[in-house]
Amino acid sequence: GAVVSQHPSWVICKSGTSVKIECRSLDFQATTMFWYRQFPKQSLMLMATSNEGSKATYEQGVEKDKFLINHASLTLSTLTVTSAHPEDSSFYICSAIHYYNEQFFGPGTRLTVL
Amino acid sequence: GQQLNQSPQSMFIQEGEDVSMNCTSSSIFNTWLWYKQDPGEGPVLLIALYKAGELTSNGRLTAQFGITRKDSFLNISASIPSDVGIYFCAGRLENTGNQFYFGTGTSLTVIP
């Protein structure tokens, strides 16, 4: 199957700082990528849809100024959590749509805000 | 958002037993995907279904796209300890973009 990577795998930061998470499709081009957030023992919650070359589409209740998304190329989307606070601590997962409309996920990034 | 009802929520079974889980919705889907997620990792795609009635296998896993297009089933035969994890269904609505909606997950525990 197609491979999607995320970097970093985990990050610990101080409250008030910003954190950038990268999502890359390694062996295919993805015009559409998704960013999810997952709390322990819960399903994935879609945060936003990232489209290459255009603004991201955010789900209701997700602050676009808080979670900045940039999809500058067909293989890279970034999520920046600005002015992070402890309640932003979570598992963030990206996914990319493959040619056959299958969705492949990255391994996730564990964010802990102190 | 769109609701996908996945059941059961959790299962505890003996090694060697078969497992069945399903996802249902009130809406019509044109694609169903089944994923497995291990703790601290991203979901891994198991099976993709594209047509109503389609039955697809991947080793000991078999999934079916319901005839009504509102449900899907996943079966695991002769379970083994490494089958432990959370299984998610995901569906894409008819005439929408690439967005998938996820089920609530089925937590599977296999007792050796």
Side-chain angles (χ1 to χ4, degrees):
Chain A
V3 180
V4 177
S5 70
Q6 271 184 251
H7 177 81
S9 299
W10 56 271
V11 57
I12 301 173
C13 68
K14 291 183 178 180
S15 184
T17 61
S18 295
V19 175
K20 180 185 283 188
I21 304 171
E22 293 185 348
C23 177
R24 293 182 185 273
S25 56
L26 297 185
D27 51 359
F28 66 101
Q29 294 181 330
T31 55
T32 302
M33 292 184 174
F34 298 102
W35 286 97
Y36 295 86
R37 186 173 180 177
Q38 187 178 34
F39 293 103
K41 297 186 178 180
Q42 293 189 22
S43 187
L44 294 89
M45 183 189 78
L46 180 65
M47 299 175 65
T49 302
S50 172
N51 295 299
E52 187 268 337
S54 63
K55 291 183 179 180
T57 303
Y58 290 82
E59 294 300 299
Q60 191 173 8
V62 178
E63 300 175 59
K64 61 180 181 181
D65 295 330
K66 172 80 172 170
F67 299 99
L68 300 178
I69 291 173
N70 184 284
H71 195 156
S73 78
L74 288 171
T75 59
L76 173 64
S77 176
T78 60
L79 168 67
T80 301
V81 183
T82 62
S83 186
H85 288 93
E87 57 265 30
D88 297 325
S89 299
S90 191
F91 192 53
Y92 292 88
I93 311 175
C94 72
S95 70
I97 297 296
H98 192 240
Y99 304 121
Y100 298 107
N101 293 321
E102 295 170 353
Q103 183 175 193
F104 290 90
F105 285 88
T109 296
R110 172 74 58 192
L111 171 63
T112 301
V113 184
L114 303 177
Chain B
Q2 187 63 224
Q3 283 283 349
L4 283 185
N5 301 308
Q6 187 171 346
S7 65
Q9 183 176 1
S10 61
M11 302 180 72
F12 293 81
I13 61 168
Q14 293 283 345
E15 181 177 0
E17 291 183 347
D18 296 342
V19 173
S20 291
M21 60 189 79
N22 68 80
C23 270
T24 61
S25 173
S26 57
S27 301
I28 292 176
F29 288 82
N30 63 15
T31 303
W32 285 98
L33 306 177
W34 283 93
Y35 292 89
K36 180 184 179 224
Q37 186 178 28
D38 292 326
E41 298 182 16
V44 174
L45 181 64
L46 300 173
I47 293 177
L49 303 162
Y50 300 103
K51 295 192 305 184
E54 181 180 353
L55 186 71
T56 299
S57 294
N58 178 5
R60 294 178 295 105
L61 278 63
T62 302
Q64 185 164 23
F65 195 139
I67 292 292
T68 65
R69 301 172 66 189
K70 296 181 179 181
D71 56 11
S72 180
F73 307 86
L74 175 69
N75 296 316
I76 305 173
S77 62
S79 59
I80 59 178
S82 61
D83 290 334
V84 167
I86 301 178
Y87 292 79
F88 290 101
C89 64
R92 185 171 61 186
L93 287 170
E94 186 86 308
N95 299 322
T96 61
N98 287 320
Q99 184 176 341
F100 282 84
Y101 297 91
F102 282 82
T104 49
T106 296
S107 174
L108 177 63
T109 300
V110 179
I111 304 167

